[in-house]
Amino acid sequence: MSGLLYQFPAKTRLDRVVAKQKILAHIKGSAKLRERLRDEVDQITWHAKLASSTLNLPSTKEVPELQVFVVTLKGEALHDDVLSAIDRAIPFPTVFELKGPSGVCVKAAYKRPSQADANHWVTDEHYLSSGWHEEGAERCPLPPAIHLKALYHQCLSELIPTPKRDGERLEEQLARFNAATALGKQAEKLEKRLRNTKQFNRKVELNAELRGIREQIAEYIAR
């Protein structure tokens, strides 16, 4: 299981409940999205604010603050489009903890200022996930960092299944993971075609193609 549960210092804790109406006011999506938020989310809590004033770490342009929100679920799961809608309403990099019947799951998407407009945040489409931890699982202290950007990048890096290589930047680690994920989807399609193919020569071709894709995946995920 990737990802760690962190113990956030008392000085950073806020634990303020955020009214769902405030989030709904920011959502410009479909009625279906708004319905999902109402049906899937029981409560949204602003759990912690990691900032120079609360953590004694310098802020950076890319990460002036890091917010931690707890989303308590009504059921087993939360659609990523709902999480993305909540994320867009928060004008800072954010780490989420989802709490549900299966325990606690840490999720986050890489968020950074737009190069075209520093006041606009760009958030990756896909969310990284720790998988489910048992409720009450042991929490770790925050990793050492020289500034908030480094802390944020370490938190995200822990969520990426592809291990970080020595000297590798977060963006490079993410790129490797995304490439391996895309190739994995290609491999699944090839495997399906292979199962449905009866011609021997075509099976040989598909097997060779599949073997090549698996070798590429192995290169991307190697430490």
Side-chain angles (χ1 to χ4, degrees):
M1 180 184 293
S2 62
L4 297 174
L5 285 177
Y6 288 116
Q7 181 67 50
F8 299 100
K11 198 174 178 182
T12 70
R13 296 280 295 274
L14 298 172
D15 291 324
R16 297 177 188 167
V17 175
V18 179
K20 284 197 282 184
Q21 281 301 125
K22 287 189 175 181
I23 302 298
L24 286 168
H26 284 83
I27 295 178
K28 299 177 182 179
S30 65
K32 181 67 175 178
L33 178 60
R34 301 168 72 86
E35 182 182 320
R36 279 180 174 172
L37 188 144
R38 294 190 187 98
D39 292 347
E40 296 177 4
V41 175
D42 180 45
Q43 183 173 284
I44 302 169
T45 305
W46 187 5
H47 180 57
K49 172 183 173 179
L50 310 184
S52 56
S53 59
T54 64
L55 202 57
N56 198 29
L57 275 182
S59 62
T60 66
K61 181 180 177 181
E62 298 91 341
V63 186
E65 294 180 5
L66 174 57
Q67 310 297 347
V68 181
F69 277 74
V70 173
V71 182
T72 306
L73 310 182
K74 290 184 176 180
E76 290 285 347
L78 178 68
H79 282 85
D80 277 357
D81 59 351
V82 178
L83 192 61
S84 179
I86 298 171
D87 213 348
R88 290 196 301 272
I90 304 166
F92 293 105
T94 311
V95 172
F96 292 95
E97 288 189 7
L98 309 188
K99 287 192 174 182
S102 298
V104 182
C105 175
V106 182
K107 298 194 80 167
Y110 183 32
K111 187 189 283 188
R112 56 213 179 274
S114 167
Q115 293 184 346
D117 180 1
N119 294 317
H120 178 69
W121 291 88
V122 177
T123 305
D124 276 5
E125 180 181 351
H126 301 293
Y127 276 81
L128 303 166
S129 175
S130 68
W132 292 96
H133 298 264
E134 290 184 5
E135 183 79 39
E138 184 178 357
R139 289 177 175 263
C140 304
L142 288 172
I146 59 173
H147 45 56
L148 288 172
K149 178 182 175 181
L151 177 63
Y152 177 51
H153 283 203
Q154 286 187 73
C155 291
L156 287 181
S157 180
E158 289 287 349
L159 294 173
I160 302 173
T162 307
K164 188 175 183 180
R165 293 170 176 170
D166 290 342
E168 188 174 48
R169 296 183 298 114
L170 174 71
E171 292 84 357
E172 295 168 333
Q173 185 186 7
L174 269 172
R176 282 195 300 113
F177 170 63
N178 289 335
T181 301
L183 286 170
K185 291 177 180 177
Q186 288 184 38
E188 288 177 4
K189 291 179 180 178
L190 274 177
E191 287 167 355
K192 185 176 180 180
R193 288 171 60 189
L194 189 57
R195 288 194 298 270
N196 296 330
T197 298
K198 300 188 184 304
Q199 293 181 345
F200 176 78
N201 289 343
R202 186 60 183 144
K203 279 182 176 289
V204 171
E205 292 173 359
L206 290 174
N207 263 317
E209 188 176 351
L210 184 58
R211 187 164 55 251
I213 288 177
R214 286 173 174 164
E215 288 173 356
Q216 290 181 65
I217 292 174
E219 290 177 7
Y220 278 125
I221 66 176
R223 183 180 290 275

